[in-house]
Every structure is written in C-alpha cells, then in structure tokens.
Amino acid sequence: QLQLQESGPGLAKPSQTLSLTCTVSGDSITSGDYYWSWIRQTPGKGLEWIGYIYHSGSTYYNPSLKSRVTVSVDTSKNQFSLNLTSVTAADTAVYYCARVLLGSYCLDSWGQGTLVTVSS
Amino acid sequence: QSALTQPASVSGSPGQSITVSCTGTSSDVGDYNLVSWYQLYPGKAPKLIIFEVNKRPSGVSNRFSGSKSGNTASLTISGLQAEDEGDYYCCSFGGSRPWVFGGGTKVTVL
C-alpha cells in the first residue's frame, strides 16, 4: 500500500528557508506515470498547489511561488523535497505531499501533512 | 480567495442526500473533465473520493457521486452518514495552472 510521509522542522524564522522531505513507501517513485507534488493548506487561502516533479527531475511550479520554490527528487532514497525561500508569516500552513495520476490530474494519494509555522 | 467557489457549509440529516457545488470558469471546470473531490479531516491524510468528474476510486462508497454542468461541478452524498461529516474540497485542472482548488465546504450531519 502506497504511503507518503512528510518530515521537516515545524518552525521556520522569517526570511529563512523552509525545507521539507516526503518519503514514499510501498512503491518506487520511478514507477508508473505519476508526478509528485506539494500542496499547502493555509487558514486564509485554503488549499494551494505549490509544484510538482517527475522522477526524471522535470518540474513545474505555481507561478505565484515560482521565484521562491525548488522541488527536487532523490530516487535512491525514494524521496522528494521542497525548499521554499524567504518565508514570511503568510507561508504558515499545513504542507502536504501527494502523488498525481497523470492524465487524470488527480491527487490520488496524500501524506497526512505537517504544520510549519513561520515565526521569530 | 480560492479560484473555485464552494459553499462554506452544507448540512443534512442522516439518510438524506446533500449536494456540494463547485463553480469555476470556462478555463478550468468548464473546459476540462478533470474535476476531483477530496475529503479532509484534521491530522489525517486527505482522501480522493471522485476524479474525472464522476469516477470513484476503488474502495470509495457508491454513496458519493459527481457531475458537471457548464462551469459548475457537484458532489452528491446520498444516504448521509455521521462518518461523512468533514471538509470537502473540489479541484480542477486549469491548463497553465494545473490545479485550482475550491475554498472547501464543511459538511455537517445533523
């Protein structure tokens, strides 16, 4: 059974970089036609797509976050990661990683999410 | 402000049917049959319940159904049960914006 698990610090200081990792178990990150994505849920803006990566390393980011976002993949560890730079309080959110089924563009499997608070 | 518009809350009594609407534009909901719905509970992994407008993943109850008319998609929960209480989000493929989400609807079982 596919499982995704987010990990990383729960607190980030303003202007610093938020870094999270998603560990995939139950299947290889290189198998099948899937993208691997990051989504966040903020109190004020609901769910927001951040970006996705294919196992080859190709990426696509939300234009509103593109200048601050990097998503990378480590196929040897079956993980993919999110870096979000120059964070502010507006980046406080529950961050989810999820698998995207190509063609359907649906998020068919999610992690349980991790709360990241941006505060000094 | 979310790209797709959902009612903030919908409620119903056990056994009743309720419908949650999701209104977008001709650039997302109206242009693609790629609407999906998700069930969110705090502290738990969100769950896909409908994809491609009206398809159910394996294991999802047939009490959940989806439809679309023009720029509005809908999720119907029939035979409402206490376990259905939670937050529901719609999502549509939006071309250059791969995923646009609704603001979420809180479903309450009275």
Side-chain angles (χ1 to χ4, degrees):
Chain A
Q1 182 181 355
L2 181 72
Q3 288 190 318
L4 293 87
Q5 180 67 58
E6 304 88 353
S7 60
L11 181 66
K13 294 187 185 302
S15 79
Q16 292 189 341
T17 296
L18 178 162
S19 297
L20 297 174
T21 295
C22 182
T23 300
V24 179
S25 59
D27 196 5
S28 170
I29 205 167
T30 63
S31 70
D33 291 324
Y34 301 107
Y35 291 138
W36 303 90
S37 186
W38 288 97
I39 301 100
R40 68 183 182 180
Q41 183 178 23
T42 59
K45 296 180 69 175
L47 288 172
E48 180 179 32
W49 164 68
I50 299 171
Y52 67 71
I53 191 166
Y54 191 56
H55 62 78
S56 64
S58 61
T59 55
Y60 196 77
Y61 302 132
N62 186 327
S64 69
L65 298 169
K66 185 177 180 179
S67 63
R68 299 193 292 129
V69 172
T70 302
V71 179
S72 58
V73 64
D74 187 335
T75 55
S76 67
K77 294 182 179 179
N78 225 35
Q79 294 176 334
F80 63 107
S81 298
L82 168 70
N83 273 8
L84 181 66
T85 62
S86 304
V87 295
T88 70
D91 295 309
T92 294
V94 176
Y95 286 77
Y96 296 98
C97 59
R99 186 178 77 172
V100 181
L101 182 60
L102 292 183
S104 295
Y105 277 88
C106 67
L107 302 148
D108 71 340
S109 188
W110 298 60
Q112 65 178 27
T114 186
L115 174 63
V116 179
T117 301
V118 179
S119 174
S120 55
Chain B
Q1 186 175 1
S2 299
L4 306 180
T5 301
Q6 297 181 234
S9 64
V10 173
S11 61
S13 300
Q16 286 186 330
S17 293
I18 62 167
T19 296
V20 180
S21 62
C22 170
T23 301
T25 70
S26 57
S27 297
D28 38 65
V29 175
D31 202 19
Y32 303 95
N33 287 324
L34 294 174
V35 176
S36 51
W37 290 88
Y38 303 88
Q39 188 182 53
L40 270 71
Y41 296 119
K44 296 182 69 175
K47 181 181 179 182
L48 173 68
I49 54 174
I50 294 288
F51 68 102
E52 293 182 12
V53 176
N54 56 14
K55 297 179 181 178
R56 280 188 310 275
S58 174
V60 172
S61 171
N62 60 9
R63 297 184 300 102
F64 293 92
S65 62
S67 62
K68 191 186 86 167
S69 177
N71 297 337
T72 298
S74 298
L75 171 71
T76 298
I77 309 175
S78 57
L80 198 62
Q81 299 179 1
E83 67 199 47
D84 300 329
E85 201 164 86
D87 295 330
Y88 292 80
Y89 287 80
C90 64
C91 176
S92 175
F93 181 74
S96 61
R97 305 173 299 159
W99 293 276
V100 287
F101 289 98
T105 297
K106 184 174 183 60
V107 169
T108 302
V109 181
L110 301 172

